[in-house]
Amino acid sequence: MSLEWIIKIISENWPMFLRGAGVTLLIALIGTIIGAAIGLVAGVIRTIPTPERVVKKVILKVINIILSIYIELFRGTPMIVQAMVIYFGSALAFDINMDVFTAAIIIVSINTGAYMAEIVRGGIVSVDKGQFEAAHAIGMNHVQTMWNVVLPQVIRNILPATGNQFVINIKDTSVLNVISVTELYFVTKSISGNNFRYFESFFVACMIYFVMTFIVTRILLYMEKKLDGSDNYTIIGNDTQLELDKK
């Protein structure tokens, strides 16, 4: 490895590296947000109690079957294959010519949604059943219980897994080069093809990936600590209690 070549590659191609890293972060961020929303909806639907009415029961069962197929399909196949099928398949089968950036967002979002659906479902199942019963006892329906009692806890509990999925998406966007998305890997491949210094070029890309994932991880850890709050609590009683304590 030549340090001079690394410096030369960075000095001559830093705008391309910066643009590629920006595209990578943007796709990963938007894909993770949309995927988390998809997973939240799918996870909530998959935990709805079985209705008593036959029609509602059949509708819910059909929806759950569709969601199960979606989750198993996208969790059981590589994203690179999904990218080829969605981008090229949509053009061949339905004559839909998507922009590569739009296709990239759709691919990452759908893939992330499949993983997040199981993460959300696990988070909901982990909430103590007594909280559901208590909410229903005070007159809340299922939607009110989920919105006011369960989901605030679930969102906090799944934040580490969501952050981990974001980090994974930053790295997995590299497979989108197969549909010519100009993310970091695609840009690095172009740079190395011009200077024939593959090791040095991809070493620079490796460091950029590391810096991005490291910074994102630190930010997410900071957010988790903020949500956890302080470890020290001061219990302040009312005036009556303070008077009793003095006696």
Side-chain angles (χ1 to χ4, degrees), residues 35-227:
I38 294 171
L40 186 62
V41 173
V44 169
I45 291 174
R46 282 167 61 82
T47 55
I48 294 176
T50 304
E52 294 181 0
R53 294 184 178 180
V54 178
V55 176
K56 290 184 177 180
K57 186 185 295 185
V58 171
I59 292 173
L60 182 61
K61 187 172 183 179
V62 171
I63 293 174
N64 278 325
I65 291 173
I66 294 172
L67 288 175
S68 297
I69 293 172
Y70 156 65
I71 291 168
E72 294 301 326
L73 180 63
F74 281 89
R75 290 180 70 200
T77 56
M79 189 188 288
I80 190 170
V81 176
Q82 296 167 15
M84 299 287 284
V85 171
I86 291 174
Y87 182 68
F88 294 109
S90 61
L92 292 172
F94 306 105
D95 198 25
I96 299 174
N97 295 313
M98 288 187 289
D99 174 74
V100 290
F101 185 80
T102 303
I105 296 295
I106 292 172
I107 293 160
V108 176
S109 300
I110 295 175
N111 182 275
T112 303
Y115 286 93
M116 289 303 301
E118 287 300 286
I119 292 172
V120 171
R121 188 181 68 84
I124 293 173
V125 171
S126 67
V127 175
D128 186 72
K129 291 182 178 179
Q131 297 192 35
F132 289 90
E133 295 171 357
H136 292 156
I138 61 174
M140 287 187 181
N141 57 33
H142 183 72
V143 175
Q144 291 172 328
T145 302
M146 293 297 295
W147 183 258
N148 296 298
V149 179
V150 179
L151 287 183
Q153 300 177 66
V154 170
I155 291 173
R156 170 59 191 90
N157 291 338
I158 68 171
L159 184 61
T162 306
N164 183 58
Q165 190 63 44
F166 181 33
V167 172
I168 291 172
N169 284 342
I170 291 175
K171 296 179 289 183
D172 282 356
T173 53
S174 59
V175 305
L176 298 174
N177 77 93
V178 297
I179 59 173
S180 301
V181 178
T182 54
E183 40 71 50
L184 183 56
Y185 179 85
F186 184 90
V187 167
T188 307
K189 191 167 64 172
S190 300
I191 293 171
S192 61
N194 291 331
N195 57 32
F196 297 103
R197 305 294 296 197
Y198 291 92
F199 183 82
E200 289 84 353
S201 298
F202 279 98
F203 179 81
V204 174
C206 179
M207 291 299 100
I208 295 173
Y209 276 117
F210 173 76
V211 169
M212 288 193 295
T213 55
F214 181 82
I215 292 174
V216 167
T217 303
R218 299 280 84 77
I219 292 173
L220 291 169
L221 287 174
Y222 175 78
M223 290 173 61
E224 288 177 35
K225 289 181 180 179
K226 280 293 182 181
L227 288 173

